[in-house]
Amino acid sequence: FVRNRGLALALGLSGTGITAAVTPPLFAWGVAHWGWQAPFVILALVNVVIGIPLTLAWFRLPEVRAAAKTADGEPVTLAGMNFRTALASPKYWVCNIALCLVVSAVMGVVTSTVPMLRDRGLDAASATAVFAWFGIALVLGRLVVGYLLDRLWPPAVAAISLALPAAGSFIFLSGSTDVALLSAAAALAGLGAGAEFDIAAFLMARYFGLKDYGRIFGLHQGLITVASAAAPLMFGAMFSASGGYSMMLTYCAASTL
């Protein structure tokens, strides 16, 4: 978690991307055979049959060890800012605001892609197949961005990767019904979504250190959660006001850029 911290975070966070790639086709299959209740049963079974046993079998906290000591026997102090100093840092709020904008845009893609494609005339299977590329790209984005964060200038990696969903939004704005092109748009959104959490966890540790990391990163995640919760409400209001998805997609492009 030092030399290859970006890649380590990426590997640990890849589960959500795998889930996003696998569940839409699985849920569509369940709905086709048993109705809208099927996905809830599938989710329950996955947790009871797979999730809980794997967690009990594999997840173990490390044994509690004595605090690290220096050669003189003094406790090792972690480097970094304290919470109050971080709150006064412009860099901290640049990270918070930028990533909240990106997360809100990604939530728009997550919640609106399938209904938007259905409105364009795609059947449920095709729409969920397009969205599955979001999950595939999310995993790829996490791994690639995590690898690059360890080796290149992190702000440049962040700027480029988090702007990719804008390209996807422009494709959706074109009104195309080509499945391949729409899949590419979903994949571009997924690449940016996969990069976001890697970048957040990495930059907070890089710029603010580990001394007060729990509170510094915790507040950031709290703000991200607020943005995630508010975004679907905002996009619903945009849809009601405009009668379509253009306003939402324009916001997504602007936010990620």
Side-chain angles (χ1 to χ4, degrees), residues 224-240:
I224 292 293
T225 303
V226 172
S228 299
L233 299 174
M234 180 177 66
F235 294 133
M238 287 180 177
F239 182 84
S240 297

Side-chain angles (χ1 to χ4, degrees), residues 71-172:
D72 298 327
E74 297 295 324
V76 173
T77 302
L78 292 173
M81 295 183 185
N82 61 37
F83 185 55
R84 288 189 175 183
T85 305
L87 288 179
S89 168
K91 283 183 179 179
Y92 184 59
W93 293 104
V94 167
C95 286
N96 286 334
I97 294 169
L99 292 172
C100 281
L101 287 170
V102 171
V103 166
S104 67
V106 167
M107 283 300 298
V109 175
V110 169
T111 57
S112 302
T113 296
V114 172
M116 177 176 63
L117 297 181
R118 294 301 308 276
D119 285 353
R120 291 188 188 180
L122 273 68
D123 58 53
S126 297
T128 53
V130 167
F131 185 70
W133 284 99
F134 176 92
I136 295 169
L138 193 150
V139 176
L140 180 63
R142 285 211 165 131
L143 296 176
V144 172
V145 169
Y147 177 84
L148 294 177
L149 283 172
D150 294 320
R151 290 156 180 82
L152 302 176
W153 187 46
V157 175
I160 293 170
S161 58
L162 295 180
L164 292 176
S169 297
F170 289 132
I171 293 173
F172 284 132

Side-chain angles (χ1 to χ4, degrees), residues 32-106:
H33 284 78
W34 296 293
W36 63 266
Q37 298 95 332
F40 295 97
V41 178
I42 292 170
L43 281 175
L45 290 174
V46 166
N47 279 283
V48 172
V49 177
I50 300 176
I52 293 174
L54 283 180
T55 302
L56 293 174
W58 282 358
F59 187 72
R60 295 287 186 274
L61 289 172
E63 293 181 7
V64 177
R65 294 177 296 175
K69 304 282 187 180
T70 65
D72 298 327
E74 297 295 324
V76 173
T77 302
L78 292 173
M81 295 183 185
N82 61 37
F83 185 55
R84 288 189 175 183
T85 305
L87 288 179
S89 168
K91 283 183 179 179
Y92 184 59
W93 293 104
V94 167
C95 286
N96 286 334
I97 294 169
L99 292 172
C100 281
L101 287 170
V102 171
V103 166
S104 67
V106 167

